[in-house]
Amino acid sequence: MTIPTYSTVKQFCEKYPAFTYGGIRNNIFHEKSNGLKAAGAIVRNGKKILINDEKFFIWLEAKNSGEA
């Protein structure tokens, strides 16, 4: 089993500067309608929101190809 890489929204934006904080927060706000929740890319631990980096990019690729 590989351990997934989780990042806070701030950490994610620092690692991947192509993504803005506001843009990621907007995707999280609309996670039910845009498929992000179904992709399993967002994990909540109490009030903390974490992004599963790998699943986020899989979701992004699927959305880009019209599959999501």
Side-chain angles (χ1 to χ4, degrees):
M1 174 183 160
T2 59
I3 299 173
T5 302
Y6 291 107
S7 305
T8 64
V9 176
K10 183 179 177 183
Q11 290 170 336
F12 188 86
C13 294
E14 288 172 356
K15 281 196 284 188
Y16 310 107
F19 299 96
T20 63
Y21 184 84
I24 296 295
R25 294 293 302 176
N26 185 57
N27 281 327
I28 292 169
F29 183 78
H30 296 287
E31 67 182 326
K32 290 179 184 174
S33 62
N34 65 16
L36 192 57
K37 182 176 183 168
I42 303 299
V43 175
R44 287 181 168 77
N45 184 19
K47 290 185 178 184
K48 183 154 310 263
I49 296 174
L50 300 171
I51 301 170
N52 180 317
D53 293 13
E54 181 181 358
K55 288 184 180 181
F56 179 87
F57 287 111
I58 291 170
W59 167 80
L60 186 64
E61 288 294 322
K63 182 179 171 184
N64 190 44
S65 67
E67 296 173 18

